[in-house]
Each structure stands twice: as C-alpha cells, then as structure tokens.
Amino acid sequence: MSPVSREVQDKCLIITINHAPVNALSHAVRDGIVAALSGAGSDDVDVVLLICDGRTFFSGADISEFGKPPKSPSLADMIDALEQCPKPVIAAIHGQALGGGLETALACDYRIMDASARIGLPEVTLGLIPGAGGTQRVPRLAGMEIALELAVSGKPISAERAVDAKLVDCISPENLRQTALRFIKQTRLTKRPVREMPVPIMDEAAIEKWSGFARKKLAGQTAPDAVIEAVRASCQEDFLAGLTRERELFVDCMSGAQSPAMRQLFFAERLASKLEVPLQADPLSLRTVGVVGTGTMGVGIAAAMLGAGYDVIMSDANTDALTVGHDRVGAIIDGDLAKGRITGAEHSGRHAKLSKAQDWAGLSACDLVVEAVFEDMEIKKLVFGELDKVLRPDAILASNTSYLDVDALAQLSRNPERVLGLHFFSPAHIMKLLEIVRGEQTSDAVMVTALKLAKSLRKIGVVCGVCHGFIGNRMLTGYAREAGLLVLEGASPEQVDKALKSFGFPMGPFTMADMAGLDIGYANRRKLDPRQFEARAFHVHDQLVEMGRKGQKTQAGFYRYEGGERIPSADAATSKIVTSVRSREGIVPRDVSDAEIVERCMLALINEGALLLGEGIAQRGSDINVVYVNGYGFPRWRGGPFHYADALGLNQIVSRIEALADQHGSRWWHVAPLLRELAEVDRSLSDYSSAISQSN
Ligand code: COA
C-alpha cells in the first residue's frame, strides 16, 4: 500500500503521508507525492496541502538509500514537481522537518508550523551537505547567517525562530490540519517559488563566524567547508548555477570516506540500545533515584536524573561533602536556566525534586540507587551491604564502577538479580554514553528498565558483559600501554599527544591521563596482578604520582598547568623522569615517527576490541564504534575504531600486528582470534554480531 494518500476537500487537494516511523522520504513516498501532484492541474483543485500523519513531518531523505543506486523520482525531481505544481502548495509541519524534509517544505509556496515543531538541516552530522536546494533556498528566504547556522551547526531551531527568520509563514497554536485549512480559506494564495526571490546579500561576517565554528567544533570534518561554499554560491543571480554547485559538493561528500563513516554511526547508535536476543520482560517503574557519593560523578548523575524528570535523593557518608555535592547540582540547574536550556518552571521543578538523605534509611523509598563512591572494591562492598539492608527487594542497585567486578558486588545482595553496572562518563549530565553492565544474574526486567532509563536520560545505552574495564576502559589499557612504551622508546609525551590529536582525538593519552588524575590509574594498577599489564609502560606515570604530580588537580602531571589553567605546557621535570626510566631500563632512545605512534595505538585499541567482542563482552562490533566515538573522543568522521579497521582492511591489520609481534615480542601482540577469523573470510568487524555468530 502506498504511504501517500490524496483527497479533495473544498477544492483543496490534501496529500497525506504516513510512512512510519518518521516519514523518511523513501522512494515510495517520493513516487506517491509526484503521482498525487499530477492531479493538481484539474479545475477541481485550487490549492494543495502537504501534511504528514504519525509522529513527525519528513525526517529527511531515507538514509538507508544512500550509497545505493538512485531510484527515480529522486528527491530533486519531487522538489521540482512541488515547485512547478500549477497551484499553490502549503506544507504543514509537525514534529521535525529535517534535511530533505525541510528542503521539501522550502519547495512549497507557504509553510505553517505546529508550535512545538522544529526545522533543521542536520546533514553535516552525516558528513553531508543539504543536496536538494537547502543551501540555496534558505539564504534567499532568510539570509546567509541563518542558512549557515542551520547547515553548519546541524542543530534544529524552534517554530518561533523559524517564523522570525521568515522561513515559515505562521505558527499553528493547536490542531495543525484545521489551522492549515483555515489559513487556506482566509489567505489569497499565489505561487511564489523561492527560486524567484531576490538574490541574497553576501555576508562575509557570517561566513567568517561559521568558518570559525567549524574549525573549532568540527575539526577534521570536510562537510562544513562544503556547506559554506554551497551557501556562498547562493549569492549569484543564476539560481540554477547555485543549485548545480550544491549538487557537485553534495556528491563529493557522499563519495568521500567521511560520510559512510558517519552514516554507519547513525544506525549503530540506534542499534546499540537493542538487545541481540530480545527480552520479554516489562520494565519496572522508576520514579525516585538515589545517588550515593557526591563527587564529580555523583553530581553529574544526579543532574542527569533530574533532567529526565526523576526525583533524586543524594547521599554521602561525609555530611560536608553531601552539602557541597547537593549545592553543585543546584548550580548546574541554575546554569541551565541562565543559559536558556530550561524554562523557569523546569528550573523550580528540578530544585523541588532534589533532596538529601541524612542516613541509609533515607534512601529506602528509592526505585533505583546508583552508587558513585570512590573506585575501591572494599568501599563499594560496604555501600552495597548497607543499601541492601534498606532497599525494597525489587529496587535496582547499580554501580557506576569503571572497572570493578559487578558480579562480585551482586554477591553482596540478597537479590543479586537486581544488581547491574551503570557506567556513566564524566560529566555525566552531558556525555551521551552509558555502558549498561549486565551481571551474570541481572534479571531481564532490570535490563529492560536500564535500557529504558538510558533512553529517558537521552543517552546511548550500550550493553556489555562483566570484565575488567568493560568495553571502553578495557580497550584503553592497550592504547595507554603503547603510548607509554613509545615514550620509553624515544617519543616525548607531547609528540604522542600531538600525533593522536592530529589523528582526530580532542586530546592525546597523556593530556587525558592528567585530566582523569594519574593517581586513579596508579591505585588501580596496585590491585592488579602484575602479569596482567606491562608495568614498564607506566613507570613514568608511577614516578609522577609518587612525586605528588597527580595531573590537572595538582597543577602538574605529565604537563604543568599554570595558574589553575587547564592548558598543558611541557615540563622539563617530566623529561628528566623519562630519561632516568629509559636508562634504568637500558633503553637507547630512537626516533619515533608520528605514523608509528598512530599505528601502534590504533592497532592495540582494535585488537583488544576484537578480543572482547570475541568473548561476548560486547554484543556487536558497531557497539564498539559507538562507545569510542561517544565516550572516548574517537573522531566521529572516522566512524570508530572498527570502522577505521574495516576501511584499512582486516588482512592489513592482521599482518601489521604480526609484524609488531616479530619486532616487540608476542606478549601483547597476538592477533585476536575473531580478528583473524573475520580477515580470513573477508568480513567486517563493525558488522559482526554475536547473534550472527550463534546462528552460523
Ligand atoms: N532515514 C532512514 N531512517 C531513519 C531516518 C532517516 N532519515 N530518520 C530516522 N530513521 C529511523 C531510525 O534509524 C530508527 O530506526 P529503528 O527504529 O529501526 O532503530 C527510527 O527511524 C526512529 O528514529 P529515532 O532516531 O530512534 O527516533 P527519535 O524519535 O529519537 O528521533 C528524529 C526522530 C527524526 C529526530 C531522528 O530520527 C533523526 O534525527 N533522524 C535523522 C534526521 C536527518 O539526519 N535527516 C537528514 C537526512 S539527509
């Protein structure tokens, strides 16, 4: 059945689209709209209304069709048909009009928007530019500044701003369809194609501003520059010439390496929160959430929970720390109001939902408690023991541990099935990633509830099994090891950081270690069996900590941080330590190239990822891309470690690891069995899923 239906009512041809879930402009939709428009020439029709059923107006071109052979009518053909329709066309927008969805609306003669709807050009988030006239029509209607804002930032704007900018004619306060029909009756409608509007005025200041934004926030990405060039091309008399330039730039982006990487992530991020083996259980109801521990993590978790509408009770054994943590959450809420992120009502609502527990019993009403106390098994065990005494048997008990054994913690509960790990990333109210650690006994209902919780927190929940460091931190161990060894062999920490920053990370491993606190890794290593890690790689780290240089928090670690600034500067004291460790280890420093730094760090990351995927710690390869891009700053435009590996070729990865094993010994460099297996059959790491492996 066609997703497009048509009816004529009072000489208005109403074209209604219903293509679940989000009215993407798939081939059947485009075809249906073009066919429906063919009836518009009839004398029975004076005007056309384009409206969608379901939760939204068009969410854009169908991303799953990208990279496949084009099917006629294309989006551009459909847009031409709308613009050339002999009768005025009105677009009625609810939900979102994004990308090709907004471009479709811009090809209509009038636009009406539901008060809560949003419009945007998010193609840049897919490594693309608008390819169906968005960069040409928005400047003609509303000027270059707003066109650049929409297409470079990729962020949607509200109905109010859209009307102010003259992108939309009016807002519908209530029933959109009725408002549109009333508008049609009350207005003298004419054809007014945007392409015939005056040529936009060149705005060099806006170009400068958005080029600066792209350099700072979207470093390494090619689409933002293409957007800017396309918008620049709108300032010429010949509309078609601008459109042609936009198309050329769109095709360049589509055929480049970045867009496939980012499109793969679009689907991977949505797949991550689905279980390979679906669970039948119903989610438990969550209303009140307890947060134990009021340090940076506890504060961020509490703020995130309040943002999702939960009542939050904070608790800390230290009453002063409790007051400070509670106030810090209050300050986050106040900051959100000051920055216009929340309304006055939301601000007072969040304050009202935040409270403190004076003792363990104060948490007894909680449906879920997340402990975020110091990363020490003994302290966590104590907290779990106390919580187990006061919580209802069906309340969920979560640990925000980054490394520790969730199953060992579960053993302390009378109901181990209610225990799981919820590993947030700092700052927890901002970072999108949430590792959901499924213990051996975690019940299906608890898992389903945690996945729903991630959604309500607007986070990407990635399910993982229990192991030291789960997905993200476990992979980091190989990466940090190679970074440490490269310094012993001859690189400086600055060179390693710079090479990985040039690769696309926001910061290198030593800047990151300084930021996280060198003492955390130090304490962690003390609890590990020395056979589990390469101690030499961390001798410099250890010596720095023993000198009281714990990183940013002590104004010195690998780098110096002067006057409380977070900007690292190289420190001769660190070089001295490096030199002494080298001579103690009998290492004669050599020249290390940037290419070697990137290769060794990336191969270590990929190989550890393949090992844990083979062990079933991650459900699927694409989850590993999602974790690294959203939690560890892996450049989005490279698609994540496995997408990068697939692009290089798994055979090449295997032979490079074997070469490193020959050169450096096979203690750490042994090819993960799954990696070798997939390379042999020419399959992809990103596409691998445990469900596929079970069915094979
Ligand atoms: N093409 C194809 N599929 C799309 C799509 C598109 N443009 N937009 C969304 N989908 C799919 C998602 O993959 C998801 O599929 P799944 O249920 O199989 O996982 C489903 O539609 C729902 O999307 P989701 O993002 O989970 O829903 P949401 O309600 O959280 O968000 C949107 C809705 C429209 C805001 C969001 O989907 C979105 O931003 N879409 C992409 C917009 C875009 O980039 N458009 C420009 C394309 S050039």
Side-chain angles (χ1 to χ4, degrees):
M1 207 174 87
S2 170
V4 180
S5 62
R6 45 162 291 169
E7 61 175 308
V8 178
Q9 191 182 315
D10 292 340
K11 299 197 99 178
C12 174
L13 169 63
I14 305 174
I15 303 179
T16 307
I17 296 88
N18 190 346
H19 184 47
V22 288
N23 286 317
L25 285 153
S26 315
H27 174 254
V29 173
R30 302 191 303 267
D31 196 40
I33 292 175
V34 171
L37 282 170
S38 65
S42 147
D43 289 344
D44 297 338
V45 173
D46 283 345
V47 57
V48 178
L49 173 64
L50 191 64
I51 191 162
C52 292
D53 274 347
R55 61 200 229 217
T56 181
F57 191 71
F58 305 114
S59 64
D62 184 337
I63 303 167
S64 65
E65 288 181 1
F66 288 174
K68 295 185 182 152
K71 271 189 178 174
S72 179
S74 67
L75 185 55
D77 296 337
M78 186 198 85
I79 279 177
D80 278 347
L82 281 165
E83 211 172 45
Q84 283 163 23
C85 172
K87 310 289 163 60
V89 185
I90 288 94
I93 300 167
H94 77 292
Q96 320 249 356
L98 298 176
L102 176 57
E103 291 174 304
T104 300
L106 293 172
C108 300
D109 300 283
Y110 296 85
R111 285 155 292 280
I112 300 176
M113 240 176 123
D114 187 84
S116 62
R118 293 164 82 74
I119 60 170
L121 293 172
E123 287 86 346
V124 72
T125 63
L126 299 168
L128 293 171
I129 72 164
T135 63
Q136 306 303 302
R137 289 191 176 87
V138 176
R140 269 183 155 69
L141 264 173
M144 281 177 79
E145 163 77 42
I146 188 105
L148 289 167
E149 177 189 333
L150 286 172
V152 177
S153 79
K155 296 220 166 79
I157 57 169
S158 67
E160 216 172 290
R161 276 205 66 204
V163 170
D164 279 353
K166 300 197 170 39
L167 283 168
V168 163
D169 298 278
C170 65
I171 294 181
S172 162
E174 69 251 41
N175 186 302
L176 180 65
R177 189 181 159 109
Q178 279 168 17
T179 309
L181 291 172
R182 203 165 44 240
F183 177 83
I184 287 167
K185 264 201 184 127
Q186 292 169 355
T187 317
R188 261 199 59 214
L189 302 167
T190 55
K191 277 305 281 180
R192 41 174 213 172
V194 175
R195 68 168 70 204
E196 287 170 14
M197 291 186 167
V199 177
I201 299 163
M202 176 62 76
D203 185 345
E204 290 292 352
I207 290 190
E208 187 49 43
K209 175 178 160 189
W210 288 100
S211 302
F213 175 94
R215 271 195 305 275
K216 201 164 158 211
K217 305 260 178 184
L218 305 171
Q221 300 188 21
T222 49
D225 284 345
V227 165
I228 292 167
E229 193 183 332
V231 172
R232 207 183 250 288
S234 70
C235 294
Q236 50 187 322
E237 205 55 56
D238 184 353
F239 181 80
L240 273 183
L243 216 51
T244 306
R245 186 66 195 126
E246 180 197 75
R247 194 73 211 159
E248 284 165 2
L249 290 160
F250 174 83
V251 170
D252 283 353
C253 288
M254 184 69 102
S255 54
Q258 296 196 357
S259 182
M262 293 165 90
R263 279 164 13 220
Q264 167 264 149
L265 278 170
F266 176 87
F267 290 112
E269 285 172 352
R270 281 150 182 87
L271 187 62
S273 53
K274 297 183 178 107
L275 288 162
E276 287 292 298
V277 183
L279 302 176
Q280 297 311 325
D282 291 327
L284 303 169
S285 118
L286 291 187
R287 192 178 150 168
T288 306
V289 177
V291 179
V292 181
T294 52
T296 305
M297 286 314 294
V299 165
I301 294 169
M305 295 290 179
L306 288 166
Y310 298 107
D311 291 328
V312 172
I313 307 175
M314 295 183 79
S315 158
D316 199 299
N318 178 326
T319 44
D320 290 342
L322 178 56
T323 307
V324 171
H326 180 272
D327 292 351
R328 281 174 65 196
V329 177
I332 292 175
I333 304 171
D334 296 347
D336 282 346
L337 178 69
K339 287 175 197 139
R341 290 190 189 135
I342 53 173
T343 62
E346 284 167 331
H347 173 258
S348 39
R350 287 185 196 183
H351 271 292
K353 281 170 179 279
L354 177 64
S355 62
K356 293 182 270 191
Q358 301 310 329
D359 50 25
W360 293 113
L363 293 167
S364 60
C366 291
D367 305 305
L368 158 71
V369 175
V370 185
E371 73 71 18
V373 299
F374 191 69
E375 187 75 351
D376 179 292
M377 195 56 163
E378 292 316 306
I379 300 176
K380 289 198 189 279
K381 278 184 174 171
L382 200 129
V383 169
F384 259 62
E386 293 297 334
L387 287 172
D388 205 59
K389 286 184 213 155
V390 295
L391 293 182
R392 286 194 324 268
D394 63 334
I396 301 175
L397 197 38
S399 172
N400 176 51
T401 177
S402 328
Y403 286 97
L404 301 175
D405 184 348
V406 172
D407 287 330
L409 286 171
Q411 291 319 309
L412 298 170
S413 174
R414 283 168 297 162
N415 313 86
E417 64 279 4
R418 64 153 141 184
V419 175
L420 84 166
L422 289 178
H423 181 209
F424 288 82
F425 289 73
S426 184
H429 57 300
I430 292 176
M431 294 287 281
K432 294 282 282 174
L433 182 65
L434 177 66
E435 284 185 329
I436 300 176
V437 188
R438 185 180 195 170
E440 208 165 320
Q441 296 186 64
T442 309
S443 75
D444 291 357
V446 168
M447 280 310 292
V448 175
T449 313
L451 287 164
K452 192 171 166 212
L453 170 73
K455 218 166 185 162
S456 70
L457 291 168
R458 296 184 181 210
K459 296 202 185 291
I460 304 170
V462 177
V463 176
C464 37
V466 176
C467 69
H468 188 75
F470 317 121
I471 297 177
N473 283 342
R474 170 161 164 194
M475 283 170 69
L476 210 53
T477 51
Y479 174 80
R481 177 195 72 229
E482 287 311 303
L485 290 176
L486 284 155
V487 165
L488 291 193
E489 288 167 38
S492 65
E494 299 87 270
Q495 188 198 352
V496 173
D497 278 355
K498 203 159 150 261
L500 289 158
K501 214 173 154 189
S502 299
F503 178 81
F505 281 95
M507 66 183 86
F510 297 106
T511 316
M512 187 167 81
D514 270 1
M515 202 174 85
L518 299 176
D519 53 327
I520 310 267
Y522 181 87
N524 205 359
R525 283 189 292 278
R526 266 55 286 84
K527 287 179 211 127
L528 285 179
D529 178 341
R531 283 168 303 183
Q532 279 178 291
F533 68 101
E534 175 69 71
R536 270 184 331 144
F538 301 95
H539 283 342
V540 178
H541 300 63
D542 292 350
Q543 219 161 304
L544 287 166
V545 173
E546 281 157 15
M547 288 166 69
R549 298 176 62 119
K550 297 180 187 169
Q552 266 187 28
K553 60 185 160 194
T554 56
Q555 281 87 56
F558 277 95
Y559 298 94
R560 253 179 309 117
Y561 301 87
E562 315 240 283
E565 287 289 326
R566 289 187 183 170
I567 301 158
S569 38
D571 195 341
T574 306
S575 315
K576 251 190 179 165
I577 298 174
V578 170
T579 310
S580 81
V581 175
R582 279 178 189 152
S583 68
R584 211 171 61 214
E585 295 288 323
I587 297 169
V588 179
R590 62 178 174 89
D591 279 345
V592 174
S593 71
D594 290 357
E596 181 181 354
I597 294 171
V598 170
E599 179 179 67
R600 276 173 57 184
C601 291
M602 284 308 111
L603 291 179
L605 202 62
I606 293 161
N607 200 43
E608 193 64 42
L611 270 175
L612 71 84
L613 182 60
E615 289 165 20
I617 297 297
Q619 294 193 93
R620 48 179 93 82
S622 60
D623 287 357
I624 283 171
N625 292 331
V626 171
V627 165
Y628 259 75
V629 168
N630 290 286
Y632 294 83
F634 195 98
R636 176 167 282 271
W637 50 272
R638 289 195 191 268
F642 280 3
H643 185 86
Y644 177 71
D646 289 332
L648 285 178
L650 298 190
N651 276 316
Q652 166 75 0
I653 301 274
V654 169
S655 63
R656 288 305 304 146
I657 294 177
E658 284 171 345
L660 287 169
D662 287 345
Q663 221 176 322
H664 299 275
S666 57
R667 181 169 179 208
W668 306 112
W669 289 118
H670 47 88
V671 178
L674 178 65
L675 173 57
R676 189 182 293 285
E677 202 183 294
L678 293 177
E680 275 164 8
V681 292
D682 202 16
R683 295 242 312 257
S684 131
L685 266 172
S686 296
D687 291 344
Y688 177 85
S689 93
S690 52
I692 295 174
S693 87
Q694 276 159 25
S695 65
N696 277 352

